[in-house]
């Protein structure tokens, strides 16, 4: 029943906001390398680097809170069982990202964004509206979201300290998963969103990432 599904998804959302999500996959680790940098741990990070990495990982954690909300809302909005399954699959992998980034923040002695309830509520509303605009639009929204997240993660790989291999391994695996999700959405019939919509999405993401880096 719809009410049962709604309660289940709200419970899942509350767990995401509270940071108690469990990963189904182990945290990605840096590949072995003959380069001595591969053995460098967090002790090698300067205080400034540690704060910067924590800010980036907090932004990524917020992105995963939003991803949970978007996919949960889109799953509730569609009437097609196969799309519910697709959104469920993507959401499960995003749960891994959520757990990985939360754990990394803890390792760095930092915390998730204090505004996570706000980010979740806004993303859920947007995802539900997108879902009610039709499956092709909903899938197109998923595709464009994942494309923008992919570019965002690319910028983080450029910005993270080269010797912070632990954070880089997490971000790189997240990036690979986002590429897969975006392609799956396009293969399922997602349309390309109009350019003005894409620009609004980028502007909204900019507000979120800039704020979440600090708060």
């Amino acid at each position: 029943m719809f009410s049962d599904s709604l309660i289940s998804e709200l419970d899942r959302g509350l767990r995401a906001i509270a940071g108690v999500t469990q990963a189904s996959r182990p945290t990605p680790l840096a590949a072995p390398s003959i380069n001595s940098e591969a053995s460098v741990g967090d002790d090698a990070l300067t205080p400034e680097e540690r704060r910067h990495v924590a800010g980036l990982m907090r932004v990524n954690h917020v992105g995963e809170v939003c991803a949970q909300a978007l996919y949960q809302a889109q799953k509730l909005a569609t009437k097609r069982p196969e799309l519910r399954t697709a959104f469920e699959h993507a959401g499960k992998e995003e749960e891994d990202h959520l757990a990985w980034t939360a754990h990394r923040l803890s390792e760095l002695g930092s915390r998730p964004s204090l505004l996570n309830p706000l980010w979740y509520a806004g993303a859920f509303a947007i995802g539900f509206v997108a879902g009610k605009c039709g499956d092709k639009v909903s899938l197109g929204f998923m595709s464009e979201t994942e494309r923008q997240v992919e570019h965002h993660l690319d910028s983080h790989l450029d910005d993270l300290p080269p010797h912070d291999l632990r954070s880089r391994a997490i971000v790189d695996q997240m990036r690979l998963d986002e590429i897969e999700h975006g392609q799956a959405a396009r293969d399922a019939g997602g349309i390309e969103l109009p350019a003005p919509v894409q620009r609004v999405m980028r502007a909204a993401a900019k507000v979120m990432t800039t704020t979440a880096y600090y708060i």
Side-chain angles (χ1 to χ4, degrees):
M1 295 175 62
F2 179 81
S3 59
D4 293 336
S5 297
L6 181 60
I7 291 171
S8 175
E9 294 305 327
L10 287 176
D11 175 70
R12 189 170 173 181
L14 289 173
R15 288 188 285 109
I17 293 171
V20 295
T21 302
Q22 297 295 318
S24 61
R25 292 177 291 173
T27 303
L29 299 175
S33 171
I34 59 173
N35 191 317
S36 61
E37 285 184 343
S39 62
V40 174
D42 288 345
D43 289 344
L45 294 172
T46 67
E48 182 178 356
E49 287 177 330
R50 184 180 289 266
R51 285 192 296 271
H52 180 54
V53 172
L56 296 179
M57 298 308 287
R58 182 160 44 251
V59 168
N60 291 331
H61 184 268
V62 166
E64 298 308 325
V65 169
C66 291
Q68 285 298 302
L70 286 170
Y71 290 146
Q72 287 163 13
Q74 289 175 287
K75 184 171 68 174
L76 288 172
T78 185
K79 296 180 180 179
R80 292 170 58 189
E82 66 272 23
L83 287 189
R84 291 196 193 102
T85 299
F87 288 129
E88 176 72 19
H89 172 73
K92 285 292 186 182
E93 291 196 337
E94 301 289 353
E95 278 189 9
D96 291 345
H97 302 174
L98 194 64
W100 297 341
T101 51
H103 183 64
R104 185 63 182 135
L105 280 168
S106 178
E107 290 178 336
L108 293 164
S110 192
R111 52 155 181 78
S113 172
L114 299 175
L115 301 177
N116 274 346
L118 176 63
W119 304 130
Y120 177 89
F124 190 94
I126 293 170
F128 196 75
V129 170
K132 287 302 183 182
C133 287
D135 290 332
K136 289 185 177 181
V137 172
S138 185
L139 288 166
F141 186 84
M142 178 182 179
S143 172
E144 181 59 28
T145 297
E146 298 293 16
R147 182 185 294 114
Q148 292 189 19
V149 172
E150 177 193 346
H151 294 162
H152 162 80
L153 294 175
D154 280 337
S155 72
H156 277 202
L157 288 172
D158 290 337
D159 206 20
L160 284 166
H163 48 280
D164 183 7
L165 300 186
R166 186 160 176 77
S167 295
R168 297 181 70 84
I170 292 171
V171 171
D172 188 53
Q173 184 58 55
M174 289 169 59
R175 175 182 171 276
L176 293 175
D177 289 343
E178 309 300 0
I179 292 173
E180 179 184 318
H181 298 164
Q183 187 59 55
R186 290 187 289 276
D187 290 344
I191 62 173
E192 184 167 352
L193 300 182
V197 175
Q198 295 180 26
R199 287 195 292 270
V200 169
M201 291 173 66
R202 284 193 292 269
K206 181 66 174 179
V207 172
M208 182 272 285
T209 56
T210 301
T211 305
Y213 181 88
Y214 298 101
I215 303 175

